Amino acid sequence: MPLMSASGSFTRYKIVGDVPDAVLREPVDILKHHAFQDIDATAEERSFGWVSFEDMLDNRFASAPPQKAHYLLFALRLDTRRISPAVFKKHLRVALDAERQAGKEDGRNFVTKDRKTELAEQVRLRLMARSLPIPAVFDVVWNVDSHDVYLNSTNSKVQELFEDLFTLTFELHLERMTPSFLAARILGEARTKELEDIEPSPFAAGA
């Protein structure tokens, strides 16, 4: 649990708009609709979804509920299979050599482009099935009073995945709490246009 570590990196969000009471009353049922699904026994390249904050193996939230005082705590789990380019290149070469040898015996002198593409996909699927997915877990903290949300990652791809899944799950829109977003909240809607006209200040060395 990175949240419980001595240090960590987080992205802050604000939920824009009203949050229906039903979302806060039955968060487990809502989270289960987009819970993580294991792909260990498949050849799938990627799987992602919600799991328990306390246990990355618990996608039914049986070990502990997400409600903690005025917070909802859960986690985004992302499992990804990766094939080393060197390993793929080796096994594709073996497959192509075998195909060429079989072609010579049948009177064929080359491997067509379509057949090479087909062999590459077969090799990829075979290696995927032999490779175990690598799990990654990103903590999520939702303050249900202020509707501030914290994601334990600053990786842009993880941010996008989280934002899309959060919106799909809860039908709520998130805004990253960037400096410009925070400034707009402080100034108010009437003065937001002033932020768009701000230009960066030049800082010359030795000035």
Side-chain angles (χ1 to χ4, degrees), residues 46 154-162:
R46 188 176 77 155
T154 55
N155 180 281
S156 60
K157 292 183 178 179
V158 174
Q159 289 171 334
E160 292 174 6
L161 177 63
F162 166 72

Side-chain angles (χ1 to χ4, degrees), residues 2 22 36 42 49 53 66 75 98 100 109 122 129-130 139 150 152 158 164 167 179 186 201:
F36 174 82
T42 74
F53 177 82
R100 292 190 182 99
N109 297 320
Q122 291 175 359
R130 293 166 57 183
D139 290 342
Y150 298 82
N152 178 218
V158 174
D164 290 344
T167 298
I186 294 171
S201 299

Side-chain angles (χ1 to χ4, degrees), residues 36-40 44-49 56 77-81 133-137:
F36 174 82
Q37 301 299 317
D38 201 292
I39 56 171
D40 282 2
E44 294 293 325
E45 185 173 358
R46 188 176 77 155
S47 180
F48 57 88
M56 64 176 257
R77 177 173 167 182
L78 169 63
D79 280 23
T80 309
R81 277 188 169 89
I134 303 170
V137 180

Side-chain angles (χ1 to χ4, degrees), residues 13-206:
Y13 295 92
K14 172 68 71 174
I15 296 176
V16 179
D18 297 330
V19 179
D21 292 339
V23 172
L24 303 180
R25 283 199 307 267
E26 301 293 341
V28 171
D29 291 340
I30 296 173
L31 288 166
K32 283 181 179 178
H33 280 104
H34 297 281
F36 174 82
Q37 301 299 317
D38 201 292
I39 56 171
D40 282 2
T42 74
E44 294 293 325
E45 185 173 358
R46 188 176 77 155
S47 180
F48 57 88
W50 308 120
V51 294
S52 168
F53 177 82
E54 285 85 354
D55 184 359
M56 64 176 257
L57 301 180
D58 180 11
N59 65 351
R60 307 304 296 170
F61 302 90
S63 59
Q67 298 97 327
K68 315 289 183 187
H70 60 280
Y71 292 94
L72 290 179
L73 273 64
F74 47 98
L76 170 64
R77 177 173 167 182
L78 169 63
D79 280 23
T80 309
R81 277 188 169 89
R82 297 187 181 92
I83 302 173
S84 163
V87 171
F88 177 78
K89 183 177 180 180
K90 169 196 167 183
H91 285 270
L92 180 58
R93 167 70 187 281
V94 171
L96 287 171
D97 287 350
E99 184 72 11
R100 292 190 182 99
Q101 183 60 37
K104 288 180 181 179
E105 295 173 0
D106 294 336
R108 291 181 284 111
N109 297 320
F110 64 93
V111 181
T112 66
K113 181 179 180 181
D114 288 345
R115 180 55 178 162
K116 288 180 180 179
T117 301
E118 183 181 352
L119 286 172
E121 181 62 14
Q122 291 175 359
V123 169
R124 189 188 71 82
L125 289 175
R126 187 165 63 249
L127 293 176
M128 281 287 186
R130 293 166 57 183
S131 172
L132 290 176
I134 303 170
V137 180
F138 308 95
D139 290 342
V140 179
V141 178
W142 177 352
N143 185 324
V144 298
D145 287 344
S146 65
H147 293 311
D148 293 339
V149 178
Y150 298 82
L151 170 69
N152 178 218
S153 177
T154 55
N155 180 281
S156 60
K157 292 183 178 179
V158 174
Q159 289 171 334
E160 292 174 6
L161 177 63
F162 166 72
E163 292 162 14
D164 290 344
L165 186 59
F166 189 95
T167 298
L168 180 64
T169 302
F170 298 103
E171 299 182 354
L172 297 170
H173 180 64
L174 292 171
E175 284 284 351
R176 296 184 197 179
M177 295 173 67
T178 60
S180 59
F181 177 81
L182 293 172
R185 287 178 61 194
I186 294 171
L187 292 175
E189 186 176 347
R191 297 185 61 192
T192 299
K193 182 64 172 64
E194 297 177 25
L195 295 173
E196 300 175 2
D197 299 330
I198 293 178
E199 297 182 1
S201 299
F203 292 95

